[in-house]
Amino acid sequence: GRESLRRVIVILNPMAGGKKARKVYDDIVERMLAQAGLTVSVVETEHAGHGIEVGRKIDVGLYDAVVAMGGDGVISEVCNGLLLKSNGRTDNGQVLPIGIIPVGSGNGLAASILKSAGEPVEPVSATLSLLRARTERLDMGVVSQHGQVTGYSILSLATGLVADIDIGADAYRWLGTVRTDLVAVRDILKLKSYRGRLQLLLEE
């Protein structure tokens, strides 16, 4: 569908893109949003997990959309914060649209959306797509333990080796995108085994 955009809040990860995210916002995104006549609030994340805190505190009635600017991490955190708070809905039951401007080392969700629309995966195209205000619904995974929802998955859900690589690579962000490959080789050579049980529950 098409949304009416007047007021948006941008959640920006200043560490994304080799600490260039804020410059990309100031030089490109801010100007495009201002030229379109939007009223914009900007919040910078300060540490890992801060996007969840920010998402929980957003007054969904004040904005027409939330925009996550960074990589897959910030969009995941913002989505989790919104959904854990109010299921991402405004007081009148409407779902608050979430936009993505990719400037991170991992932009998987933005890539899947932009490429399916025939657009390049970069900030200008993403901002133009945002300003067109066309929305698409996406399925999300729900993570629950003992009947209590503990989080949401927007792109993928991993355990075992893949999860260890993802978590381990986070400590080497200064290496850029190559960090994931290096940690993957290291962890594969460890030949670590994982025990677990997988059940597939089908809805009636």
Side-chain angles (χ1 to χ4, degrees), residues 181-200:
D181 297 329
L182 294 176
V183 172
V185 172
R186 181 198 71 185
D187 287 1
I188 289 171
L189 291 176
K190 288 181 179 179
L191 298 177
K192 182 179 178 181
S193 61
Y194 300 86
R195 294 177 60 85
R197 182 174 64 182
L198 179 66
Q199 291 180 301
L200 180 62

Side-chain angles (χ1 to χ4, degrees), residues 23-38 40 127 131:
K23 180 173 174 55
V24 172
Y25 176 80
D26 291 341
D27 293 350
I28 300 173
V29 178
E30 183 180 32
R31 295 180 182 182
M32 294 177 69
L33 298 181
Q35 289 173 356
L38 270 63
V40 184
T127 306
L131 293 174

Side-chain angles (χ1 to χ4, degrees), residues 80-94:
N80 269 274
L82 283 168
L83 290 168
L84 289 169
K85 171 191 177 184
S86 60
N87 209 27
R89 295 178 182 273
T90 60
D91 291 340
N92 61 6
Q94 291 183 322

Side-chain angles (χ1 to χ4, degrees), residues 1-202:
R2 184 178 292 275
E3 306 291 335
S4 175
L5 285 185
R6 299 181 306 278
R7 303 162 301 173
V8 301
I9 180 169
V10 176
I11 315 301
L12 185 152
N13 176 9
M15 303 301 290
K19 300 183 180 180
K20 296 178 181 177
R22 183 73 207 204
K23 180 173 174 55
V24 172
Y25 176 80
D26 291 341
D27 293 350
I28 300 173
V29 178
E30 183 180 32
R31 295 180 182 182
M32 294 177 69
L33 298 181
Q35 289 173 356
L38 270 63
T39 300
V40 184
S41 300
V42 181
V43 178
E44 290 191 6
T45 57
E46 299 174 1
H47 52 79
H50 190 210
I52 297 177
E53 299 172 26
V54 174
R56 282 180 178 272
K57 294 177 181 177
I58 291 175
D59 186 340
V60 294
L62 293 180
Y63 304 101
D64 301 308
V66 176
V67 180
M69 186 167 176
D72 289 325
V74 71
I75 182 64
S76 176
E77 289 186 2
V78 171
C79 284
N80 269 274
L82 283 168
L83 290 168
L84 289 169
K85 171 191 177 184
S86 60
N87 209 27
R89 295 178 182 273
T90 60
D91 291 340
N92 61 6
Q94 291 183 322
V95 176
L96 192 65
I98 301 174
I100 313 169
I101 299 178
V103 287
S105 55
N107 301 302
L109 183 59
S112 66
I113 294 172
L114 289 169
K115 286 183 178 180
S116 68
E119 300 284 352
V121 185
E122 49 85 31
V124 172
S125 294
T127 306
L128 287 173
S129 295
L130 171 71
L131 293 174
R132 293 188 189 106
R134 296 192 64 87
T135 59
E136 296 289 342
R137 290 185 175 273
L138 295 177
D139 291 331
M140 297 187 69
V142 181
V143 180
S144 63
Q145 291 180 300
H146 309 295
Q148 178 72 32
V149 173
T150 57
Y152 295 85
S153 170
I154 62 166
L155 189 62
S156 63
L157 187 63
T159 188
L161 178 63
V162 175
D164 276 353
I165 292 171
D166 194 31
I167 294 170
D170 207 51
Y172 302 98
R173 284 191 169 273
W174 53 275
L175 287 174
T177 56
V178 72
R179 68 183 186 274
T180 303
D181 297 329
L182 294 176
V183 172
V185 172
R186 181 198 71 185
D187 287 1
I188 289 171
L189 291 176
K190 288 181 179 179
L191 298 177
K192 182 179 178 181
S193 61
Y194 300 86
R195 294 177 60 85
R197 182 174 64 182
L198 179 66
Q199 291 180 301
L200 180 62
L201 304 177
L202 301 178

